[in-house]
Amino acid sequence: MSTFSTFDFKGKKALVRVDFNVPLNDKLEITDDNRMRAEIPTIQKILNDGGSVILMSHLGRPKDGPSDKFSLRHLVNHLSELLGGKTVLFADDCIGERANITSSLLRPGEVLLLENLRFYKEEEKGDEGFAKKLAVLGDVYVNDAFGTAHRAHASTAVIAKFFPGDRKMFGLLMESEVKSAEKVLHEAKKPFVAIIGGAKVSDKMLILENLLDKATDIIIGGGMAYTFMKADGGNIGKSLCEDDRIQTALEILKKAEVKGVCIHLPSDSIIADKFDAAAQTSTAPSNNIPDGWMGLDIGPNAAEQFSNVIKRSKTILWNGPMGVFEMESFRLGTKAIAIAVADATKNGAFSLVGGGDSVAAVNMFRLADQVSYVSTGGGAMLEYFEGKELPGIAAISHSS
Ligand code: AMP
């Protein structure tokens, strides 16, 4: 495995797997270009060295082969703008004659974008023949798609076997994602607090289990907190609850006690009489929510307690909001936590925010630049913290 920053791309064609899975509106315009912006440093480094860049990505979930709605053609002009007006060539197929000819004619300093990989079913199946057809396009393979690193697809993992050890590497984005995640998972300075929120316990069970061996404190907020409250004998009204997870929740509480990990549940909640932005609201202890009411945010006492834990921590991992932050009435808990994470970071803590909704939250509160790292890979980051080995990372790190 080579290191991207020290590799000299002069005269090389770099086949770069990126995650350009950006949202498009009805007019096929890009509504959020963060994933494209995040790739510019990797592309620039290759071009500055005197290499050429062949970009491959998926976009959306095309079901039956090529369709205009999912064509990467719609990204060409914007990518060109992001590269300071540089011409971006486009191949309307990612393999075969057209891709082969365009890539073979590519000169140093040029950028080529290939058509959507998922127009071929073989991509998601991890088909070796398909991976080989992609591999012939470049001299060097760069994986910079952290968002799909948890998938063993042809372009994210299988392709690596067609390049020798010194011709495959992570790109700058992937490098920094992996470095930040490693810092939290393996080199965390204590106290280490994990803040886990969001809707479902079942989605976060594995991550909680894995963190019991790493964290000093685990803060549990959001809808999933009420399954724990009920497990602990509380009345939770009609708050979210996964009855089939109550036993697991109890086991987590017990394991935490044995391992000396402090689990923090919200002492109070903002409750509502219905799941609606215009609902009637009140505050109640989280273990004594009246019948017919539901907890939709952590309350002011819980926000303060959680903030105090966060502010005395040296390492912070945050995944999942504390409440239904999409609605203004249930936003304050998540906002208080975001502010506490930013404050702790200012005081020297390392903070990593990962997972779609917590990233959306720090962006909403304009605090993204006040935390140490915001991960671009939701599902991939989650699996990483569940302790799983990601195929996209393994394919490069475990080969000679
Ligand atoms: P997740 O994808 O599991 O991180 O869940 C994120 C979603 O959980 C967001 O859309 C929130 O609105 C939702 N959520 C957070 N707290 C609650 C709650 N107390 N009740 C219902 N939904 C919640």
Side-chain angles (χ1 to χ4, degrees), residues 6 23-24 40 60 106 124 144 203-204 261 278 283 352 369 378:
T6 53
L24 301 178
I40 302 306
L106 209 58
E124 287 181 86
D144 215 18
D203 288 348
K204 310 281 165 88
V261 178
T283 310
L352 168 60
D369 58 351

Side-chain angles (χ1 to χ4, degrees), residues 22-25 28-33 36 74-75 78-79:
V22 290
L24 301 178
N25 63 17
L28 300 173
E29 295 156 345
I30 301 160
T31 55
D32 178 350
D33 68 350
M36 294 175 75
H74 307 304
L75 275 59
H78 191 61
L79 181 58

Side-chain angles (χ1 to χ4, degrees), residues 341-355:
V341 174
D343 282 350
T345 312
K346 215 178 285 159
N347 289 328
F350 180 80
S351 55
L352 168 60
V353 183

Side-chain angles (χ1 to χ4, degrees), residues 197-200 203-204 222-223 226 240 275 295-297 319-326 357:
K200 288 166 90 188
D203 288 348
K204 310 281 165 88
Y226 300 101
L240 261 192
F275 190 90
L296 291 184
D297 194 8
N319 174 283
M322 295 291 103
V324 185
F325 75 106
E326 296 92 336
D357 275 317

